[in-house]
Amino acid sequence: MDARKVVSCHRWLRVPSAMLAASLPDAFPKMENLKMHQMSPEMQGCIDECLRCHSTCLSMAMNHCLEAGGRHVEPEHFRLMIACAEICQTAANFMLIGTSHHKHLCRECAEICEECARSCEQIGDMQECVDACRRCAESCRKMAA
């Protein structure tokens, strides 16, 4: 068999490319046959705010806070920033999954984001994080209602 016509699917399994290609149409449904989860503009906006807050908190914690030191890396503040980043990502994931449980996560996310915003505001020189957390908290409060 010509080695160029063999597709390695696994290190122990080799499937001829013609066989692999022939099996793909039956193995995967066509996109036009899939019903996509309908998402409201409000939910999409909340997902966007959650992901923005996740990115901002994680980036500021790992870059700004670690480099600034002092109060920026006090355990309570630093853990709160990481917890905020994590709950934001989880809330966004739950909305993307389409489960009604996203409301519980959004309620908790709003609370943690507000706490993170207050902590960042008290420490100072973290306005980007404060703003991202407050926008996310507001959006999550609406989503949790």
mmCIF file of all heavy atoms in Angstrom, residues 83-111:
data_model
loop_
_atom_site.group_PDB
_atom_site.id
_atom_site.type_symbol
_atom_site.label_atom_id
_atom_site.label_comp_id
_atom_site.label_asym_id
_atom_site.label_seq_id
_atom_site.Cartn_x
_atom_site.Cartn_y
_atom_site.Cartn_z
ATOM 1 N N ALA A 83 -10.090 33.426 41.626
ATOM 2 C CA ALA A 83 -11.454 32.902 41.774
ATOM 3 C C ALA A 83 -12.407 33.638 40.839
ATOM 4 O O ALA A 83 -13.284 33.024 40.211
ATOM 5 C CB ALA A 83 -11.924 33.029 43.223
ATOM 6 N N CYS A 84 -12.237 34.938 40.716
ATOM 7 C CA CYS A 84 -13.067 35.743 39.829
ATOM 8 C C CYS A 84 -12.886 35.293 38.378
ATOM 9 O O CYS A 84 -13.859 35.078 37.650
ATOM 10 C CB CYS A 84 -12.731 37.226 39.991
ATOM 11 S SG CYS A 84 -13.823 38.321 39.063
ATOM 12 N N ALA A 85 -11.646 35.143 37.977
ATOM 13 C CA ALA A 85 -11.371 34.689 36.610
ATOM 14 C C ALA A 85 -12.019 33.330 36.351
ATOM 15 O O ALA A 85 -12.642 33.112 35.306
ATOM 16 C CB ALA A 85 -9.860 34.621 36.371
ATOM 17 N N GLU A 86 -11.917 32.427 37.308
ATOM 18 C CA GLU A 86 -12.465 31.076 37.139
ATOM 19 C C GLU A 86 -13.990 31.068 37.089
ATOM 20 O O GLU A 86 -14.579 30.382 36.258
ATOM 21 C CB GLU A 86 -11.973 30.155 38.259
ATOM 22 C CG GLU A 86 -10.519 29.785 38.129
ATOM 23 C CD GLU A 86 -10.217 29.001 36.856
ATOM 24 O OE1 GLU A 86 -10.983 28.089 36.507
ATOM 25 O OE2 GLU A 86 -9.201 29.306 36.214
ATOM 26 N N ILE A 87 -14.648 31.804 37.987
ATOM 27 C CA ILE A 87 -16.119 31.800 37.994
ATOM 28 C C ILE A 87 -16.655 32.467 36.733
ATOM 29 O O ILE A 87 -17.677 32.050 36.193
ATOM 30 C CB ILE A 87 -16.710 32.435 39.278
ATOM 31 C CG1 ILE A 87 -18.209 32.126 39.413
ATOM 32 C CG2 ILE A 87 -16.507 33.934 39.320
ATOM 33 C CD1 ILE A 87 -18.533 30.705 39.733
ATOM 34 N N CYS A 88 -15.945 33.463 36.231
ATOM 35 C CA CYS A 88 -16.372 34.117 34.989
ATOM 36 C C CYS A 88 -16.307 33.140 33.818
ATOM 37 O O CYS A 88 -17.235 33.059 33.004
ATOM 38 C CB CYS A 88 -15.515 35.342 34.693
ATOM 39 S SG CYS A 88 -15.831 36.734 35.794
ATOM 40 N N GLN A 89 -15.233 32.386 33.742
ATOM 41 C CA GLN A 89 -15.108 31.416 32.661
ATOM 42 C C GLN A 89 -16.163 30.320 32.795
ATOM 43 O O GLN A 89 -16.778 29.920 31.807
ATOM 44 C CB GLN A 89 -13.712 30.798 32.658
ATOM 45 C CG GLN A 89 -13.510 29.843 31.492
ATOM 46 C CD GLN A 89 -12.105 29.315 31.424
ATOM 47 O OE1 GLN A 89 -11.517 28.969 32.450
ATOM 48 N NE2 GLN A 89 -11.558 29.258 30.230
ATOM 49 N N THR A 90 -16.409 29.870 34.014
ATOM 50 C CA THR A 90 -17.401 28.822 34.241
ATOM 51 C C THR A 90 -18.810 29.319 33.910
ATOM 52 O O THR A 90 -19.587 28.594 33.279
ATOM 53 C CB THR A 90 -17.321 28.318 35.692
ATOM 54 O OG1 THR A 90 -15.997 27.825 35.927
ATOM 55 C CG2 THR A 90 -18.323 27.211 35.954
ATOM 56 N N ALA A 91 -19.138 30.537 34.310
ATOM 57 C CA ALA A 91 -20.456 31.093 33.992
ATOM 58 C C ALA A 91 -20.638 31.190 32.477
ATOM 59 O O ALA A 91 -21.692 30.825 31.939
ATOM 60 C CB ALA A 91 -20.631 32.467 34.651
ATOM 61 N N ALA A 92 -19.619 31.657 31.775
ATOM 62 C CA ALA A 92 -19.688 31.731 30.309
ATOM 63 C C ALA A 92 -19.883 30.341 29.717
ATOM 64 O O ALA A 92 -20.712 30.151 28.818
ATOM 65 C CB ALA A 92 -18.423 32.381 29.749
ATOM 66 N N ASN A 93 -19.157 29.365 30.228
ATOM 67 C CA ASN A 93 -19.296 27.998 29.727
ATOM 68 C C ASN A 93 -20.708 27.461 29.938
ATOM 69 O O ASN A 93 -21.263 26.807 29.052
ATOM 70 C CB ASN A 93 -18.280 27.071 30.401
ATOM 71 C CG ASN A 93 -16.875 27.307 29.909
ATOM 72 O OD1 ASN A 93 -16.654 27.957 28.897
ATOM 73 N ND2 ASN A 93 -15.905 26.783 30.638
ATOM 74 N N PHE A 94 -21.299 27.715 31.102
ATOM 75 C CA PHE A 94 -22.652 27.236 31.364
ATOM 76 C C PHE A 94 -23.664 27.874 30.420
ATOM 77 O O PHE A 94 -24.598 27.212 29.977
ATOM 78 C CB PHE A 94 -23.041 27.482 32.829
ATOM 79 C CG PHE A 94 -22.693 26.343 33.738
ATOM 80 C CD1 PHE A 94 -21.393 25.867 33.830
ATOM 81 C CD2 PHE A 94 -23.662 25.738 34.507
ATOM 82 C CE1 PHE A 94 -21.056 24.816 34.663
ATOM 83 C CE2 PHE A 94 -23.353 24.679 35.356
ATOM 84 C CZ PHE A 94 -22.047 24.206 35.434
ATOM 85 N N MET A 95 -23.477 29.145 30.119
ATOM 86 C CA MET A 95 -24.383 29.794 29.158
ATOM 87 C C MET A 95 -24.183 29.209 27.770
ATOM 88 O O MET A 95 -25.152 28.976 27.035
ATOM 89 C CB MET A 95 -24.168 31.312 29.158
ATOM 90 C CG MET A 95 -24.717 31.976 30.406
ATOM 91 S SD MET A 95 -24.523 33.774 30.387
ATOM 92 C CE MET A 95 -22.848 33.934 31.038
ATOM 93 N N LEU A 96 -22.945 28.951 27.393
ATOM 94 C CA LEU A 96 -22.669 28.360 26.080
ATOM 95 C C LEU A 96 -23.226 26.945 25.972
ATOM 96 O O LEU A 96 -23.677 26.533 24.906
ATOM 97 C CB LEU A 96 -21.166 28.368 25.801
ATOM 98 C CG LEU A 96 -20.582 29.739 25.493
ATOM 99 C CD1 LEU A 96 -19.066 29.698 25.562
ATOM 100 C CD2 LEU A 96 -21.052 30.225 24.135
ATOM 101 N N ILE A 97 -23.197 26.200 27.070
ATOM 102 C CA ILE A 97 -23.755 24.852 27.084
ATOM 103 C C ILE A 97 -25.267 24.906 26.881
ATOM 104 O O ILE A 97 -25.844 24.040 26.241
ATOM 105 C CB ILE A 97 -23.408 24.138 28.410
ATOM 106 C CG1 ILE A 97 -21.916 23.819 28.456
ATOM 107 C CG2 ILE A 97 -24.240 22.869 28.589
ATOM 108 C CD1 ILE A 97 -21.420 23.411 29.832
ATOM 109 N N GLY A 98 -25.888 25.942 27.416
ATOM 110 C CA GLY A 98 -27.327 26.106 27.253
ATOM 111 C C GLY A 98 -28.136 25.505 28.390
ATOM 112 O O GLY A 98 -29.323 25.232 28.233
ATOM 113 N N THR A 99 -27.514 25.307 29.535
ATOM 114 C CA THR A 99 -28.233 24.761 30.680
ATOM 115 C C THR A 99 -28.863 25.877 31.502
ATOM 116 O O THR A 99 -28.309 26.974 31.599
ATOM 117 C CB THR A 99 -27.290 23.920 31.570
ATOM 118 O OG1 THR A 99 -28.001 23.514 32.740
ATOM 119 C CG2 THR A 99 -26.063 24.688 31.985
ATOM 120 N N SER A 100 -30.025 25.586 32.090
ATOM 121 C CA SER A 100 -30.690 26.597 32.921
ATOM 122 C C SER A 100 -29.908 26.854 34.213
ATOM 123 O O SER A 100 -30.169 27.831 34.905
ATOM 124 C CB SER A 100 -32.112 26.164 33.250
ATOM 125 O OG SER A 100 -32.091 24.948 33.985
ATOM 126 N N HIS A 101 -28.976 26.005 34.528
ATOM 127 C CA HIS A 101 -28.158 26.194 35.732
ATOM 128 C C HIS A 101 -27.246 27.420 35.630
ATOM 129 O O HIS A 101 -26.633 27.818 36.624
ATOM 130 C CB HIS A 101 -27.318 24.949 36.018
ATOM 131 C CG HIS A 101 -28.143 23.770 36.422
ATOM 132 N ND1 HIS A 101 -28.696 23.634 37.668
ATOM 133 C CD2 HIS A 101 -28.534 22.684 35.714
ATOM 134 C CE1 HIS A 101 -29.375 22.516 37.733
ATOM 135 N NE2 HIS A 101 -29.299 21.916 36.557
ATOM 136 N N HIS A 102 -27.158 28.011 34.442
ATOM 137 C CA HIS A 102 -26.321 29.200 34.299
ATOM 138 C C HIS A 102 -26.772 30.313 35.237
ATOM 139 O O HIS A 102 -25.956 31.118 35.668
ATOM 140 C CB HIS A 102 -26.301 29.696 32.844
ATOM 141 C CG HIS A 102 -27.538 30.391 32.427
ATOM 142 N ND1 HIS A 102 -28.616 29.721 31.889
ATOM 143 C CD2 HIS A 102 -27.887 31.696 32.474
ATOM 144 C CE1 HIS A 102 -29.579 30.593 31.620
ATOM 145 N NE2 HIS A 102 -29.155 31.794 31.962
ATOM 146 N N LYS A 103 -28.055 30.337 35.593
ATOM 147 C CA LYS A 103 -28.555 31.402 36.473
ATOM 148 C C LYS A 103 -27.890 31.351 37.844
ATOM 149 O O LYS A 103 -27.560 32.383 38.416
ATOM 150 C CB LYS A 103 -30.069 31.312 36.606
ATOM 151 C CG LYS A 103 -30.785 31.680 35.329
ATOM 152 C CD LYS A 103 -32.278 31.674 35.506
ATOM 153 C CE LYS A 103 -32.918 32.113 34.201
ATOM 154 N NZ LYS A 103 -34.315 32.454 34.376
ATOM 155 N N HIS A 104 -27.693 30.146 38.374
ATOM 156 C CA HIS A 104 -27.022 30.012 39.676
ATOM 157 C C HIS A 104 -25.584 30.515 39.577
ATOM 158 O O HIS A 104 -25.106 31.224 40.452
ATOM 159 C CB HIS A 104 -26.990 28.548 40.133
ATOM 160 C CG HIS A 104 -28.310 27.874 40.135
ATOM 161 N ND1 HIS A 104 -29.354 28.253 40.944
ATOM 162 C CD2 HIS A 104 -28.765 26.829 39.400
ATOM 163 C CE1 HIS A 104 -30.386 27.470 40.716
ATOM 164 N NE2 HIS A 104 -30.053 26.599 39.780
ATOM 165 N N LEU A 105 -24.916 30.111 38.509
ATOM 166 C CA LEU A 105 -23.522 30.521 38.324
ATOM 167 C C LEU A 105 -23.420 32.023 38.131
ATOM 168 O O LEU A 105 -22.508 32.666 38.654
ATOM 169 C CB LEU A 105 -22.919 29.798 37.117
ATOM 170 C CG LEU A 105 -22.212 28.470 37.351
ATOM 171 C CD1 LEU A 105 -20.950 28.621 38.127
ATOM 172 C CD2 LEU A 105 -23.096 27.426 37.906
ATOM 173 N N CYS A 106 -24.338 32.589 37.366
ATOM 174 C CA CYS A 106 -24.312 34.041 37.124
ATOM 175 C C CYS A 106 -24.529 34.819 38.411
ATOM 176 O O CYS A 106 -23.896 35.859 38.627
ATOM 177 C CB CYS A 106 -25.340 34.422 36.070
ATOM 178 S SG CYS A 106 -24.832 33.971 34.393
ATOM 179 N N ARG A 107 -25.408 34.323 39.279
ATOM 180 C CA ARG A 107 -25.643 34.996 40.563
ATOM 181 C C ARG A 107 -24.352 35.012 41.391
ATOM 182 O O ARG A 107 -23.952 36.039 41.939
ATOM 183 C CB ARG A 107 -26.771 34.279 41.317
ATOM 184 C CG ARG A 107 -27.262 35.012 42.541
ATOM 185 C CD ARG A 107 -28.514 34.348 43.148
ATOM 186 N NE ARG A 107 -29.604 34.306 42.159
ATOM 187 C CZ ARG A 107 -30.098 33.174 41.629
ATOM 188 N NH1 ARG A 107 -29.631 32.001 41.977
ATOM 189 N NH2 ARG A 107 -31.088 33.232 40.757
ATOM 190 N N GLU A 108 -23.688 33.866 41.461
ATOM 191 C CA GLU A 108 -22.428 33.772 42.213
ATOM 192 C C GLU A 108 -21.330 34.602 41.540
ATOM 193 O O GLU A 108 -20.546 35.266 42.212
ATOM 194 C CB GLU A 108 -22.004 32.305 42.330
ATOM 195 C CG GLU A 108 -20.844 32.075 43.244
ATOM 196 C CD GLU A 108 -21.118 32.426 44.701
ATOM 197 O OE1 GLU A 108 -22.289 32.439 45.127
ATOM 198 O OE2 GLU A 108 -20.142 32.708 45.408
ATOM 199 N N CYS A 109 -21.309 34.558 40.214
ATOM 200 C CA CYS A 109 -20.316 35.319 39.458
ATOM 201 C C CYS A 109 -20.440 36.816 39.758
ATOM 202 O O CYS A 109 -19.440 37.502 39.983
ATOM 203 C CB CYS A 109 -20.471 35.039 37.961
ATOM 204 S SG CYS A 109 -19.200 35.810 36.935
ATOM 205 N N ALA A 110 -21.672 37.319 39.785
ATOM 206 C CA ALA A 110 -21.889 38.739 40.069
ATOM 207 C C ALA A 110 -21.358 39.109 41.447
ATOM 208 O O ALA A 110 -20.703 40.149 41.622
ATOM 209 C CB ALA A 110 -23.379 39.071 39.964
ATOM 210 N N GLU A 111 -21.595 38.241 42.428
ATOM 211 C CA GLU A 111 -21.143 38.509 43.788
ATOM 212 C C GLU A 111 -19.610 38.531 43.871
ATOM 213 O O GLU A 111 -19.018 39.434 44.476
ATOM 214 C CB GLU A 111 -21.705 37.429 44.725
ATOM 215 C CG GLU A 111 -21.424 37.671 46.181
ATOM 216 C CD GLU A 111 -22.070 36.616 47.069
ATOM 217 O OE1 GLU A 111 -23.211 36.199 46.787
ATOM 218 O OE2 GLU A 111 -21.401 36.209 48.040
#
